Amino acid sequence: MALAESITTRAGTKLSAQHVQMAFSRDGKTTPVLNDVNLQVAKGEFLCIVGPSGCGKSTLLSAIGGFLSPTGGEIRIDGEVVSGPDPRRIFVFQERGVFPWLTVEGNIEFGLFKLAQRERRARVAHYIEMVGLRGFEKAYPSELSGGMKQRLEVARALAVNPDMLLLDEPFGALDSITRLIMRGELLGIWREERNTVIFVTHDIDEAVQLADRVAVMSGRPAGIQQTIDIDIAHPRDISAPRYLELRNGILEQLGIAHHV
Amino acid sequence: MNALSAPRKWERFLWPVVASALFLVMWDYAVVHTATKVFPSPLMVEQGIAELSRKGVLWAYIGDSLRRVALGFGAAVAVGVPIGLTLGWYPAVNQVVNPVLQMLRPISPIAWIPVAILLFGVGDGTAVFLIFLAAVFPIVVACISGVATVPAIYRRAGRNFGLSAPQLLLRVVFPAALPQIIVGLRLALGIAWLVVVAAEMIAVDSGLGYLVIDARNSGKRYDLVVAAMLMIGLIGLVLDLGFRSLRKIRSVRWGFRDES
């Protein structure tokens, strides 16, 4: 693959996970979840992590976010070992993460408490505009649709100007049409902001449509089975032979026949 | 009324009025039918209320009762909310304190009367203390469970945006627990209003509770006894309705299912 020039060497490394182990103890039993995960993510890269459900994708993402500490190995971001959550990398959940007691404005402003009033105003206005929530500034999340809540959560994350976005199946709870629209919007935002994005999904199409690179995880205890460069330019034609080839490659990696 | 169609506006007022009128008619009929000399008819009670109002006693007594409830309940909120939030926030502390709390909780405030008089003498202090005792436990318990049931996802988001522990408590945990705290406060206010009557019967010589016992003791004025009871009921209703309307505040409305 001549096109698949390694991004890792082209730009600096943002994240490097080495020999990451994760085990949960419950009732005296230890269950290994992650086993020797090794992963490099370049600055500004859009990486999707796919894998069978319950394989530990979200656990890995939580560890990258600093919410869980690995029981072995280490995760470094910008060369520093991750030791806890940090506003420089914001974790985005399914839309359930927005605060129901705050308005759209209040939610976006939530992380901006260290900024001066004027700067806060400007950022809030900018991101409301970017995610298409103009006119809903004073609305509460309960008055928004699922897609709007998801956009709100993304806006809240972007407002603090993080250099990494960690998205945990962010569109999983949305209907399929909204999901398609949201993918396009996320790509648009990413092209504008150029954050490093790590996007966990169980939807292979979603991964191939969005990512620069797809990391395929194996079943439990999970490691990275393979990473695949998606060497198709945006906007991607989802019926192009190369698209189907990559998609089928991932399906095979996961050991799933692509005939229903 | 069709159970599926929402009742029309006038129906929502009409039926309660009809039920109340029916109650008064049945009461009046029972008094006439049994030819009782002791129990007053609705009309006699109405005249009793008018008499109390003329003498200026009614409003003074209502004012005294409300003042005591405000002081006792206010103190219970001021003490109970911080304690409850703290205990909910530190489960380890809660485990230590909980047995004592659970043992004190089922003791009726009435049982505290001798101790209260010992501590505060006969007077306002005792009444306020009893109301405080009655209200503080439901408030503490509501706050503990309110904090304990805040979805982890909100705390995680708060930590992600770099909030310190006090900020997290103030900006995430408290607003997230607020609907449940309001439910606890409403319960506590109802109990406080029950207890003020008992406290005033024993500890003071003003207020609606005192009116009940005084009207009976000085000349068996049962018209005034029932008049006082009716006022207690009405004010209790108004207090509760007032508290219920708190849930219409937009930043807590999300926490209540839509039952207006």
Side-chain angles (χ1 to χ4, degrees), chain A residues 62 67 85-87 89-91 93 96-101 110-111 113 138 140 143 156-157 160, chain B residues 153-164 167-168 171-173 175-176 250-254:
Chain A
S62 286
F67 296 102
D86 191 305
R89 35 183 187 272
I90 298 292
F91 198 104
F93 309 87
R96 296 171 291 123
V98 297
F99 298 129
W101 59 87
F110 183 86
F113 52 97
K138 307 285 182 211
Y140 281 82
E143 298 155 349
R156 183 179 73 183
V160 297
Chain B
I153 197 169
Y154 296 152
R155 297 186 194 213
R156 234 172 104 145
R159 284 171 60 209
N160 202 167
F161 285 103
L163 266 60
S164 63
Q167 284 173 321
L168 194 62
R171 297 188 58 205
V172 176
V173 175
R250 295 186 84 204
S251 60
V252 298
R253 199 161 60 186
W254 60 274

Side-chain angles (χ1 to χ4, degrees), chain A residues 5 17-19 45 48 70 74-75 80-81 84-85 103 108 119 128 131 156 165 178 180 192 217 219 226 259:
Chain A
E5 175 193 355
Q18 261 159 10
H19 310 297
E45 187 179 5
C48 279
E74 61 176 24
I75 299 172
E80 288 168 47
V81 174
T103 57
I108 298 178
E119 172 73 5
I128 281 182
V131 299
R156 183 179 73 183
L165 278 183
T178 312
L180 273 174
E192 196 173 319
M217 286 181 84
Q226 201 189 357
H259 299 287

Side-chain angles (χ1 to χ4, degrees), chain A residues 3-8 10 41-49 187 190-191 194-197 199 206-215 227-234 236 246:
Chain A
L3 269 172
E5 175 193 355
S6 172
I7 303 162
T8 323
R10 200 171 55 203
V41 183
K43 276 200 178 75
E45 187 179 5
F46 197 129
L47 177 89
C48 279
I49 301 175
L187 276 177
W190 172 67
R191 234 171 278 142
R194 286 291 160 185
N195 322 76
T196 308
V197 175
F199 187 111
E206 186 163 75
V208 181
Q209 283 164 28
L210 292 173
D212 292 328
R213 208 151 54 98
V214 176
T227 60
I228 296 152
D229 288 307
I230 308 298
D231 48 2
I232 316 172
H234 290 287
R236 288 177 180 165
L246 285 165

Side-chain angles (χ1 to χ4, degrees), chain A residues 164-201:
Chain A
M164 265 180 114
L165 278 183
L166 309 173
L167 301 122
D168 188 6
E169 299 194 17
F171 308 146
L174 305 177
D175 64 86
S176 58
I177 294 170
T178 312
R179 207 179 305 162
L180 273 174
I181 296 168
M182 292 295 299
R183 281 177 202 161
E185 288 184 2
L186 180 65
L187 276 177
I189 288 167
W190 172 67
R191 234 171 278 142
E192 196 173 319
E193 303 263 314
R194 286 291 160 185
N195 322 76
T196 308
V197 175
I198 302 183
F199 187 111
V200 162
T201 177

Side-chain angles (χ1 to χ4, degrees), chain B residues 246-257:
Chain B
L246 280 185
R247 66 174 61 188
K248 298 213 174 85
I249 297 172
R250 295 186 84 204
S251 60
V252 298
R253 199 161 60 186
W254 60 274
F256 298 98
R257 254 174 269 150

Side-chain angles (χ1 to χ4, degrees), chain B residues 50-82:
Chain B
E51 182 189 330
L52 290 170
S53 175
R54 262 199 317 279
K55 283 189 195 158
V57 175
L58 184 66
W59 297 109
Y61 280 4
I62 289 175
D64 284 341
S65 292
L66 285 175
R67 179 172 47 81
R68 287 174 191 128
V69 167
L71 286 173
F73 180 73
V77 173
V79 172
V81 171

